[in-house]
Amino acid sequence: MSEGPAAGGQASSAPLMGHASEPTLFELSQPGRRSWQLRTTGIPEWGIEDLVPAEHRRVAPVALAEVSERDLVGHFTRLSHRQYSVDLGAYPLGSCTMKYNPKVCDAVAALPGLARVHPAAPAELCQGWLALLVELDAVLCAVTGMAACTLQPAAGAAGELTGLLLMRAYHEARGERRTRVVIPDSAHGTNPASVALGGFEVTTVPSDERGCVDMAALLGVLGPDVAGIMLTNPNTLGLFEEEIVEMAGAVHEVGGLLYYDGANLNAILGVVRPGDMGFDIVHMNLHKTFATPHGGGGPGAGPVAVSSRLADFLPGPRPVRRTPSGGGTPVAPGSVTSGTAPGEYGWSWPAHSIGRVHSWHGNALVLARALAYISVHGGDGLRRVAERAVLNANWLRVRLAGVLDVAYDRPCMHEVVFSAAGLKKRTGASALDVGKALLGEGFHSPTVYFPLVTDEALMVEPTETESLQTLEALARACERIVAAAEGGEDLHAQPTSTPVGRVDEAQAARSLVATFDARPEEPRE
Ligand SMILES: *Cc1c(COP(=O)(O)O)cnc(C)c1O
């Protein structure tokens, strides 16, 4: 079916299934084999006897894999060639913003002056780091239209929990007990989970036929026990909530706060600010919008910016500039703690802080990457990011309109939701089949079966980094897949050209093999 390149840069078209083709390091292990080692310095070493009491010493050597450097590098390089990644091609995984991340950000994060500083270093020894954090804090406030920011949360969901704890602290400080948080039915799954973790109950509001929050339903659920609402705008269907100002008014009217899930700021950067829409709390996923490679559990950062009435509750300590000269930097509430240390920058605890939400100051190198990304783009550049992200999604919406069903056929923001419901009815091919077949065409799959409100959803987020030629290639791949299904081809076996073919997801969940037994069956020579 496919003439496109195979995914993962796989040179051979022979399918390499499962682990069979690449042994584990333990299987590559040969007794006594070593990687490159430094010669000894000649300085006498302490014996283990001097340091560890006998009862705590290992009696037999630990069974680690013994491999040469050549075997080690070969192993990981082969594995990396079986991966699909943002560096390899388009990755239209909706809601995840899997865009290409400029290498300049990694170069900055690798600078020894940033990478080798211990988080416990005293403020006077890391003035550069503190200046970076203070500047990032100010820029994120400017982007979101907020007054103050915490850089500590380690990812989006951690930012959400922080935001909900801020909501709780704010209401409690006013002597109010509010128990419910309102969430639209199109929301990202982390939203209701964070609400539950924050000790609130979830009240769901339905979407209307245009894919936006049903205003009448919202008014029906608001009341004095509502702590706030969690929204994302554009919402998870990629659509802009046009009645956001009215919604904000109604929530504030009952004393509630508005939380903005800003995981994907791509759509609005430099165009509109959550603060201007009436939001009080915003989390941002720096690993999505601001260019840190993520996925596979890589590091993230989910800073939370708040309006002035919530600033006193922010987690501490916050990086601050102590001298008011220079202007434009946020003056944090509370006192500077390391007051005796010389230097322009220090740490400060907000007056009614909810405490730490990270053991140190957040995932610092992700923060450094974000400031590098923002600095190379500048204000105009960030606005172009948003314009191109939105243009690319709308281009695909129109280009693919006759190929797949468009869930809500009106201009979208940075992502567009298609539906394979019609295709499934006609041919039996589901959204999952289309996504899997796209892997064989050399693309990553869109997000499938999310948002939940769309039947057989295929959520495509092309991002601003893909060219017109790539978008056209993606559209043609979709056309080939749909034509194959219409022509009677069974897509259930797809993909056949990737290192791993279709996996049995139910079987994988039911009999998960999470361990590898390193002990050789036979003693080795
Ligand atoms: C990705 C995402 C989150 C969660 O962010 P994590 O960093 O994965 O915890 C929350 N909301 C939306 C809309 C997202 O796209």
Side-chain angles (χ1 to χ4, degrees), residues 65-254:
E66 298 177 84
V67 289
S68 68
E69 181 174 321
R70 201 268 162 277
D71 289 347
L72 187 69
V73 170
H75 172 72
F76 284 111
T77 304
R78 283 191 299 277
L79 283 181
S80 74
H81 284 208
R82 302 174 65 187
Q83 285 287 1
Y84 192 78
S85 71
V86 289
D87 282 354
L88 210 54
Y91 207 127
L93 191 68
S95 195
C96 295
T97 311
M98 300 299 287
K99 63 184 180 184
Y100 173 77
N101 301 273
K103 297 296 170 220
V104 64
C105 304
D106 292 332
V108 168
L111 290 173
L114 293 178
R116 295 198 193 153
V117 175
H118 194 280
E124 64 268 30
L125 295 185
C126 44
Q127 289 289 301
W129 247 124
L130 279 158
L132 186 157
L133 297 179
V134 166
E135 187 174 345
L136 181 62
D137 184 312
V139 173
L140 295 180
C141 286
V143 163
T144 52
M146 292 286 148
C149 180
T150 173
L151 303 171
Q152 284 185 22
E160 289 174 27
L161 178 61
T162 305
L164 287 153
L165 295 178
L166 289 168
M167 229 185 234
R168 167 176 295 275
Y170 170 81
H171 291 307
E172 278 175 3
R174 294 158 59 93
E176 290 183 4
R177 207 181 113 67
R178 291 173 176 254
T179 52
R180 289 192 294 130
V181 173
V182 179
I183 302 184
D185 61 0
S186 62
H188 194 269
T190 49
N191 291 186
S194 299
V195 166
L197 207 57
F200 294 103
E201 283 160 39
V202 176
T203 298
T204 308
V205 274
S207 308
D208 62 17
E209 69 287 348
R210 300 190 73 229
C212 288
V213 171
D214 186 324
M215 195 63 184
L218 174 65
L219 294 176
V221 301
L222 290 180
D225 59 338
V226 167
I229 183 169
M230 285 183 97
L231 278 178
T232 168
N233 195 17
N235 65 27
T236 314
L237 291 159
L239 304 173
F240 196 83
E241 297 282 355
E242 288 152 353
E243 291 182 293
I244 185 60
V245 174
E246 291 75 13
M247 275 188 237
V251 174
H252 284 151
E253 182 77 30
V254 298

Side-chain angles (χ1 to χ4, degrees), residues 13 37 91 97 126 153 221 250 265 287-288 316 331 340 344 348 381 444 475 488 496 523:
S13 60
Q37 279 180 317
Y91 207 127
T97 311
C126 44
V221 301
L265 280 185
H287 47 295
K288 288 180 180 169
V331 177
T340 54
E344 199 178 341
S348 153
H444 197 278
T496 54

